Amino acid sequence: MKTQTELQTRKLFLHVILLVLWNMVGAYVLINYAPRLSILGMALNLFITVFSLTDLFPFASWVSLIVATGVFAGSAYGLLDSQTDLIVSSVVATAVFLITAIICNIYAHVVRRIDQKYAGLQQVADSLAIYDQATNLMRWKYAKQTLITEILRGRRYHNDVTLVLFDYRERDQLSDEDIRENNKLAAEVLLAGIRTNLDIAFISDQLGLILPETGYEGALVLTQRLVQKLNRQVGARVVAGLSSFPEDAITEDEILLQAKAALQATLGSEQTIEVYHNLSSENADSPILEVPPVEEPEAEQDQQQHVNILESINLDDDQWVVWIEGFDNMDDLAHIDEAFKAIDHIKGINFLFLQENHLVIKIRSSLEDLIDDPSAFPGWTVVKTSPENRYLLIRENKETVNEG
């Protein structure tokens, strides 16, 4: 079964062929029924074709039709002596121009549909890109998954994990272009100064680092060295805030919150680096968090990781998270997009991220309960559900795939 995009592309080529053939037929008609004005008629017909296909503004084909008809009728009135020839030539030319405008209008509509489709798919592909194209840094929504994994691993193997956030002290005085340029320069410094096989440099509203197996003391040494390099090479003063697991936080949300607090403390002082552990230790009543060792099988660890990811996704009452099994390449995006838009109860689709060979999406549905409705996803099999997390794992039926 062909996808809608493939069918629209076929229509596009058919309309091109039809347009070429019609221009040939139109030229023949004009030569035979309006011989004295045939050259003008063919020129005006070409004008309609070119002007309509450029689609400079809405209704361009109809505007060009009116202009061409007016020019031809005026020329016929001035050049033709016989009223009969005038009427016949004008009617024939108008008919040729009208059919040309209709074909061109349909062609332009198909082109717009294809452009919108590819623009939407490109937007989805960009949103699923793990690394930011401008800086080559991991995007935060993927880095957060790494942070969740490292904290779970840290709990099991008694490893430290440190989160570092960087920002510009004069951010309010920087233009968007300045920030983008500084981010590129800062990214080069970060990538050159970390263990690329272990540490994760990411970008969100700020730049940041996830440092597995690194406590706040080691992270402080690394951050000091990086901030010095950044302040030499970036056109703005860079400051940083640090937070560590398990000293400052025991969850990914807590460690992010504490790192932001340390960063804000830095921005509000003359310091270039602040460690949340130092801030919290100034308060005698603030205990250091202790995390008991957790021994759990790898399967349970992976399951807990997925649970953490699900719990981090905000959902409205009519929204569900759907994990689509067997996502192998980006070509599947168009198929999935079309398949879900064809389901009546689905009112909106938001592509979230890739997790191994799963595409994770958030849908808005008019059905109250997708889990108990066996016909909620025609052509798909529901493999696993989680009512408390409003989550479904689905797999496309083999017969549907074969038909596609």
Side-chain angles (χ1 to χ4, degrees):
M1 182 174 62
K2 299 295 183 182
T3 65
Q4 292 181 11
T5 302
E6 290 173 331
L7 292 175
Q8 288 173 353
T9 305
R10 280 192 167 188
K11 286 183 181 179
L12 188 65
F13 286 113
L14 288 175
H15 280 100
V16 170
I17 295 173
L18 179 61
L19 190 58
V20 172
L21 292 176
W22 172 247
N23 273 276
M24 295 172 63
V25 172
Y28 175 81
V29 171
L30 289 169
I31 291 172
N32 282 273
Y33 292 94
R36 294 183 59 184
L37 296 172
S38 59
I39 301 298
L40 175 63
M42 287 185 285
L44 291 173
N45 202 41
L46 181 61
F47 162 75
I48 294 174
T49 302
V50 174
F51 198 76
S52 300
L53 296 184
T54 55
D55 201 24
L56 297 176
F57 51 85
F59 309 110
S61 57
W62 306 120
V63 171
S64 62
L65 169 63
I66 294 171
V67 171
T69 302
V71 171
F72 188 91
S75 301
Y77 182 80
L79 296 175
L80 298 178
D81 299 328
S82 170
Q83 187 174 4
T84 302
D85 291 343
L86 171 63
I87 295 173
V88 171
S89 298
S90 298
V91 170
V92 169
T94 301
V96 171
F97 296 161
L98 177 61
I99 295 174
T100 301
I102 291 173
I103 296 174
C104 290
N105 189 58
I106 296 174
Y107 177 89
H109 177 71
V110 173
V111 170
R112 283 194 297 270
R113 289 282 300 275
I114 293 176
D115 285 344
Q116 291 171 359
K117 173 67 70 175
Y118 279 112
L121 291 177
Q122 183 61 49
Q123 184 177 5
V124 170
D126 290 342
S127 70
L128 292 174
I130 297 177
Y131 292 93
D132 177 64
Q133 291 183 349
T135 61
N136 289 325
L137 299 182
M138 184 177 288
R139 294 183 175 182
W140 168 243
K141 65 179 180 180
Y142 296 102
K144 185 176 182 180
Q145 296 175 48
T146 302
L147 181 61
I148 293 172
T149 302
E150 292 301 333
I151 288 177
L152 289 173
R153 185 176 290 117
R155 288 173 62 89
R156 184 180 184 195
Y157 297 109
H158 318 287
N159 290 332
D160 295 329
V161 182
T162 298
L163 178 67
V164 185
L165 296 179
F166 300 91
D167 205 350
Y168 306 112
R169 189 177 292 280
E170 306 89 358
R171 174 178 283 272
D172 294 341
Q173 303 174 19
L174 299 174
S175 66
D176 291 341
E177 181 62 32
D178 290 336
I179 292 175
R180 284 193 292 269
E181 194 61 34
N182 286 333
N183 283 346
K184 290 180 182 178
L185 297 173
E188 294 177 1
V189 174
L190 294 180
L191 292 173
I194 63 174
R195 305 165 295 180
T196 54
N197 63 326
L198 185 61
D199 303 331
I200 300 295
F202 65 86
I203 184 169
S204 58
D205 294 335
Q206 298 93 20
L207 303 180
L209 295 176
I210 298 172
L211 305 176
E213 303 177 15
T214 305
Y216 70 88
E217 293 179 347
L220 179 59
V221 174
L222 172 63
T223 305
Q224 288 173 335
R225 185 169 69 250
L226 290 173
V227 167
Q228 290 175 358
K229 291 182 179 179
L230 289 168
N231 284 324
R232 287 197 301 267
Q233 300 185 31
V234 176
R237 189 179 176 191
V238 178
V239 297
L242 291 78
S243 177
S244 293
F245 166 91
E247 285 80 5
D248 305 321
I250 57 174
T251 69
E252 74 280 358
D253 290 329
E254 288 178 353
I255 196 172
L256 176 62
L257 186 65
Q258 315 302 26
K260 286 184 175 180
L263 182 61
Q264 288 301 316
T266 309
L267 292 170
S269 68
E270 293 301 318
Q271 300 292 326
T272 56
I273 303 172
E274 190 62 78
V275 181
Y276 184 82
H277 179 72
N278 294 340
L279 293 177
S280 60
S281 63
E282 293 175 1
N283 187 343
D285 296 329
S286 298
I288 297 177
L289 297 172
E290 295 184 359
V291 183
V294 178
E295 298 295 338
E296 55 185 5
E298 289 289 344
E300 293 184 9
Q301 184 181 7
D302 292 340
Q303 182 179 6
Q304 183 61 39
Q305 177 186 350
H306 290 150
V307 169
N308 277 274
I309 293 173
L310 289 172
E311 290 177 346
S312 68
I313 300 174
N314 296 321
L315 296 173
D316 296 334
D317 292 338
D318 60 347
Q319 289 183 319
W320 298 76
V321 176
V322 180
W323 290 49
I324 301 172
E325 188 177 273
F327 184 85
D328 297 321
N329 57 73
M330 298 302 288
D331 292 337
D332 294 336
L333 274 178
H335 170 66
I336 292 172
D337 184 54
E338 291 169 3
F340 273 69
K341 285 182 178 178
I343 300 176
D344 292 336
H345 69 85
I346 295 180
K347 305 304 180 184
I349 304 172
N350 183 20
F351 292 84
L352 298 178
F353 54 82
L354 296 174
Q355 180 73 13
E356 297 175 351
N357 67 329
H358 295 76
L359 176 66
V360 184
I361 67 175
K362 180 165 61 175
I363 65 170
R364 191 177 297 275
S365 172
S366 58
L367 297 180
E368 292 185 2
D369 192 348
L370 296 182
I371 293 177
D372 293 334
D373 190 336
S375 62
F377 298 95
W380 302 77
T381 298
V382 177
V383 180
K384 185 179 179 182
T385 62
S386 175
E388 62 273 17
N389 292 314
R390 300 177 67 82
Y391 147 85
L392 301 96
L393 172 65
I394 66 174
R395 178 192 306 123
E396 190 168 16
N397 296 337
K398 290 184 178 180
E399 56 269 22
T400 304
V401 176
N402 293 335
E403 289 176 5

mmCIF file of all heavy atoms in Angstrom, residues 320 345 365 367-377 382 384-387 390-392:
data_model
loop_
_atom_site.group_PDB
_atom_site.id
_atom_site.type_symbol
_atom_site.label_atom_id
_atom_site.label_comp_id
_atom_site.label_asym_id
_atom_site.label_seq_id
_atom_site.Cartn_x
_atom_site.Cartn_y
_atom_site.Cartn_z
ATOM 1 N N TRP A 320 -1.927 10.496 26.282
ATOM 2 C CA TRP A 320 -1.333 9.191 26.580
ATOM 3 C C TRP A 320 0.057 9.132 25.974
ATOM 4 O O TRP A 320 0.335 9.790 24.963
ATOM 5 C CB TRP A 320 -2.186 8.059 25.989
ATOM 6 C CG TRP A 320 -3.561 7.985 26.546
ATOM 7 C CD1 TRP A 320 -4.625 8.791 26.259
ATOM 8 C CD2 TRP A 320 -4.030 7.034 27.509
ATOM 9 N NE1 TRP A 320 -5.729 8.413 26.967
ATOM 10 C CE2 TRP A 320 -5.398 7.332 27.742
ATOM 11 C CE3 TRP A 320 -3.451 5.971 28.175
ATOM 12 C CZ2 TRP A 320 -6.175 6.592 28.629
ATOM 13 C CZ3 TRP A 320 -4.228 5.229 29.051
ATOM 14 C CH2 TRP A 320 -5.565 5.542 29.283
ATOM 15 N N HIS A 345 -10.034 8.895 16.646
ATOM 16 C CA HIS A 345 -10.047 9.434 18.004
ATOM 17 C C HIS A 345 -8.764 10.182 18.372
ATOM 18 O O HIS A 345 -8.725 10.873 19.396
ATOM 19 C CB HIS A 345 -10.303 8.308 19.026
ATOM 20 C CG HIS A 345 -9.158 7.341 19.151
ATOM 21 N ND1 HIS A 345 -8.068 7.554 19.964
ATOM 22 C CD2 HIS A 345 -8.951 6.129 18.562
ATOM 23 C CE1 HIS A 345 -7.238 6.533 19.882
ATOM 24 N NE2 HIS A 345 -7.748 5.645 19.035
ATOM 25 N N SER A 365 -6.241 12.015 22.755
ATOM 26 C CA SER A 365 -7.316 11.141 22.280
ATOM 27 C C SER A 365 -8.664 11.565 22.856
ATOM 28 O O SER A 365 -8.745 12.039 24.001
ATOM 29 C CB SER A 365 -7.032 9.683 22.671
ATOM 30 O OG SER A 365 -8.135 8.864 22.386
ATOM 31 N N LEU A 367 -10.980 9.356 23.302
ATOM 32 C CA LEU A 367 -11.440 8.210 24.082
ATOM 33 C C LEU A 367 -11.015 8.366 25.541
ATOM 34 O O LEU A 367 -9.917 8.831 25.835
ATOM 35 C CB LEU A 367 -10.867 6.907 23.518
ATOM 36 C CG LEU A 367 -11.272 6.536 22.085
ATOM 37 C CD1 LEU A 367 -10.606 5.225 21.687
ATOM 38 C CD2 LEU A 367 -12.792 6.409 21.971
ATOM 39 N N GLU A 368 -11.876 7.943 26.450
ATOM 40 C CA GLU A 368 -11.567 8.067 27.875
ATOM 41 C C GLU A 368 -10.541 7.030 28.317
ATOM 42 O O GLU A 368 -9.728 7.293 29.196
ATOM 43 C CB GLU A 368 -12.847 7.926 28.705
ATOM 44 C CG GLU A 368 -13.824 9.089 28.509
ATOM 45 C CD GLU A 368 -15.027 8.978 29.431
ATOM 46 O OE1 GLU A 368 -15.063 8.006 30.233
ATOM 47 O OE2 GLU A 368 -15.910 9.843 29.345
ATOM 48 N N ASP A 369 -10.581 5.845 27.737
ATOM 49 C CA ASP A 369 -9.683 4.778 28.169
ATOM 50 C C ASP A 369 -9.191 4.004 26.944
ATOM 51 O O ASP A 369 -9.944 3.224 26.349
ATOM 52 C CB ASP A 369 -10.395 3.834 29.136
ATOM 53 C CG ASP A 369 -9.422 2.896 29.841
ATOM 54 O OD1 ASP A 369 -8.247 2.838 29.408
ATOM 55 O OD2 ASP A 369 -9.823 2.243 30.816
ATOM 56 N N LEU A 370 -7.943 4.205 26.583
ATOM 57 C CA LEU A 370 -7.368 3.502 25.438
ATOM 58 C C LEU A 370 -7.013 2.064 25.776
ATOM 59 O O LEU A 370 -6.961 1.204 24.903
ATOM 60 C CB LEU A 370 -6.116 4.233 24.947
ATOM 61 C CG LEU A 370 -6.287 5.644 24.390
ATOM 62 C CD1 LEU A 370 -4.948 6.180 23.903
ATOM 63 C CD2 LEU A 370 -7.299 5.669 23.262
ATOM 64 N N ILE A 371 -6.765 1.789 27.050
ATOM 65 C CA ILE A 371 -6.281 0.468 27.448
ATOM 66 C C ILE A 371 -7.363 -0.591 27.294
ATOM 67 O O ILE A 371 -7.110 -1.708 26.833
ATOM 68 C CB ILE A 371 -5.755 0.508 28.896
ATOM 69 C CG1 ILE A 371 -4.498 1.389 28.952
ATOM 70 C CG2 ILE A 371 -5.452 -0.887 29.414
ATOM 71 C CD1 ILE A 371 -3.927 1.566 30.335
ATOM 72 N N ASP A 372 -8.594 -0.252 27.665
ATOM 73 C CA ASP A 372 -9.676 -1.239 27.625
ATOM 74 C C ASP A 372 -10.392 -1.287 26.284
ATOM 75 O O ASP A 372 -11.322 -2.089 26.119
ATOM 76 C CB ASP A 372 -10.698 -0.933 28.735
ATOM 77 C CG ASP A 372 -10.108 -1.144 30.117
ATOM 78 O OD1 ASP A 372 -9.167 -1.953 30.226
ATOM 79 O OD2 ASP A 372 -10.572 -0.490 31.065
ATOM 80 N N ASP A 373 -9.999 -0.446 25.342
ATOM 81 C CA ASP A 373 -10.654 -0.431 24.039
ATOM 82 C C ASP A 373 -9.799 -1.215 23.043
ATOM 83 O O ASP A 373 -8.738 -0.752 22.631
ATOM 84 C CB ASP A 373 -10.836 1.005 23.554
ATOM 85 C CG ASP A 373 -11.738 1.101 22.322
ATOM 86 O OD1 ASP A 373 -11.835 0.095 21.592
ATOM 87 O OD2 ASP A 373 -12.322 2.168 22.091
ATOM 88 N N PRO A 374 -10.230 -2.410 22.623
ATOM 89 C CA PRO A 374 -9.400 -3.234 21.736
ATOM 90 C C PRO A 374 -9.245 -2.660 20.329
ATOM 91 O O PRO A 374 -8.342 -3.050 19.605
ATOM 92 C CB PRO A 374 -10.153 -4.577 21.698
ATOM 93 C CG PRO A 374 -11.573 -4.216 22.022
ATOM 94 C CD PRO A 374 -11.504 -3.057 22.966
ATOM 95 N N SER A 375 -10.136 -1.738 19.963
ATOM 96 C CA SER A 375 -10.065 -1.156 18.612
ATOM 97 C C SER A 375 -9.431 0.233 18.605
ATOM 98 O O SER A 375 -9.570 0.974 17.634
ATOM 99 C CB SER A 375 -11.476 -1.073 18.016
ATOM 100 O OG SER A 375 -12.305 -0.220 18.810
ATOM 101 N N ALA A 376 -8.739 0.571 19.675
ATOM 102 C CA ALA A 376 -8.162 1.920 19.775
ATOM 103 C C ALA A 376 -7.070 2.145 18.745
ATOM 104 O O ALA A 376 -6.889 3.260 18.255
ATOM 105 C CB ALA A 376 -7.610 2.149 21.181
ATOM 106 N N PHE A 377 -6.331 1.079 18.395
ATOM 107 C CA PHE A 377 -5.225 1.201 17.439
ATOM 108 C C PHE A 377 -5.379 0.139 16.356
ATOM 109 O O PHE A 377 -4.713 -0.894 16.404
ATOM 110 C CB PHE A 377 -3.873 1.069 18.143
ATOM 111 C CG PHE A 377 -3.607 2.130 19.164
ATOM 112 C CD1 PHE A 377 -3.883 1.915 20.504
ATOM 113 C CD2 PHE A 377 -3.102 3.366 18.779
ATOM 114 C CE1 PHE A 377 -3.654 2.899 21.446
ATOM 115 C CE2 PHE A 377 -2.871 4.357 19.718
ATOM 116 C CZ PHE A 377 -3.159 4.128 21.054
ATOM 117 N N VAL A 382 -1.474 -4.091 21.063
ATOM 118 C CA VAL A 382 -1.041 -3.518 22.339
ATOM 119 C C VAL A 382 -0.286 -4.598 23.104
ATOM 120 O O VAL A 382 -0.868 -5.628 23.478
ATOM 121 C CB VAL A 382 -2.240 -3.002 23.151
ATOM 122 C CG1 VAL A 382 -1.767 -2.477 24.505
ATOM 123 C CG2 VAL A 382 -2.980 -1.921 22.385
ATOM 124 N N LYS A 384 1.858 -3.976 25.942
ATOM 125 C CA LYS A 384 1.990 -3.736 27.372
ATOM 126 C C LYS A 384 1.319 -2.411 27.699
ATOM 127 O O LYS A 384 1.302 -1.491 26.885
ATOM 128 C CB LYS A 384 3.480 -3.696 27.765
ATOM 129 C CG LYS A 384 3.753 -3.572 29.250
ATOM 130 C CD LYS A 384 5.256 -3.576 29.502
ATOM 131 C CE LYS A 384 5.588 -3.438 30.978
ATOM 132 N NZ LYS A 384 7.048 -3.400 31.214
ATOM 133 N N THR A 385 0.766 -2.311 28.901
ATOM 134 C CA THR A 385 0.120 -1.071 29.324
ATOM 135 C C THR A 385 0.492 -0.741 30.758
ATOM 136 O O THR A 385 0.908 -1.610 31.527
ATOM 137 C CB THR A 385 -1.415 -1.180 29.222
ATOM 138 O OG1 THR A 385 -1.870 -2.215 30.098
ATOM 139 C CG2 THR A 385 -1.849 -1.481 27.790
ATOM 140 N N SER A 386 0.313 0.513 31.106
ATOM 141 C CA SER A 386 0.521 0.971 32.473
ATOM 142 C C SER A 386 -0.524 2.054 32.753
ATOM 143 O O SER A 386 -0.318 3.222 32.422
ATOM 144 C CB SER A 386 1.936 1.528 32.661
ATOM 145 O OG SER A 386 2.095 2.077 33.956
ATOM 146 N N PRO A 387 -1.673 1.682 33.322
ATOM 147 C CA PRO A 387 -2.753 2.655 33.542
ATOM 148 C C PRO A 387 -2.322 3.835 34.403
ATOM 149 O O PRO A 387 -2.728 4.968 34.143
ATOM 150 C CB PRO A 387 -3.834 1.815 34.249
ATOM 151 C CG PRO A 387 -3.543 0.404 33.860
ATOM 152 C CD PRO A 387 -2.055 0.317 33.740
ATOM 153 N N ARG A 390 -0.471 6.076 32.237
ATOM 154 C CA ARG A 390 -1.152 6.346 30.961
ATOM 155 C C ARG A 390 -0.212 6.026 29.797
ATOM 156 O O ARG A 390 0.060 6.847 28.936
ATOM 157 C CB ARG A 390 -1.637 7.798 30.887
ATOM 158 C CG ARG A 390 -2.626 8.140 31.995
ATOM 159 C CD ARG A 390 -3.035 9.586 31.960
ATOM 160 N NE ARG A 390 -3.823 9.909 30.787
ATOM 161 C CZ ARG A 390 -5.121 9.693 30.669
ATOM 162 N NH1 ARG A 390 -5.790 9.115 31.664
ATOM 163 N NH2 ARG A 390 -5.776 10.030 29.575
ATOM 164 N N TYR A 391 0.267 4.792 29.811
ATOM 165 C CA TYR A 391 1.315 4.353 28.899
ATOM 166 C C TYR A 391 0.885 3.098 28.169
ATOM 167 O O TYR A 391 0.243 2.214 28.740
ATOM 168 C CB TYR A 391 2.601 4.104 29.696
ATOM 169 C CG TYR A 391 3.488 3.000 29.184
ATOM 170 C CD1 TYR A 391 4.422 3.246 28.182
ATOM 171 C CD2 TYR A 391 3.414 1.706 29.707
ATOM 172 C CE1 TYR A 391 5.249 2.227 27.710
ATOM 173 C CE2 TYR A 391 4.233 0.690 29.246
ATOM 174 C CZ TYR A 391 5.145 0.955 28.251
ATOM 175 O OH TYR A 391 5.946 -0.043 27.777
ATOM 176 N N LEU A 392 1.210 3.028 26.859
ATOM 177 C CA LEU A 392 0.971 1.820 26.075
ATOM 178 C C LEU A 392 2.196 1.524 25.227
ATOM 179 O O LEU A 392 2.804 2.440 24.658
ATOM 180 C CB LEU A 392 -0.239 1.970 25.145
ATOM 181 C CG LEU A 392 -1.603 2.276 25.763
ATOM 182 C CD1 LEU A 392 -1.873 3.772 25.711
ATOM 183 C CD2 LEU A 392 -2.713 1.529 25.026
#
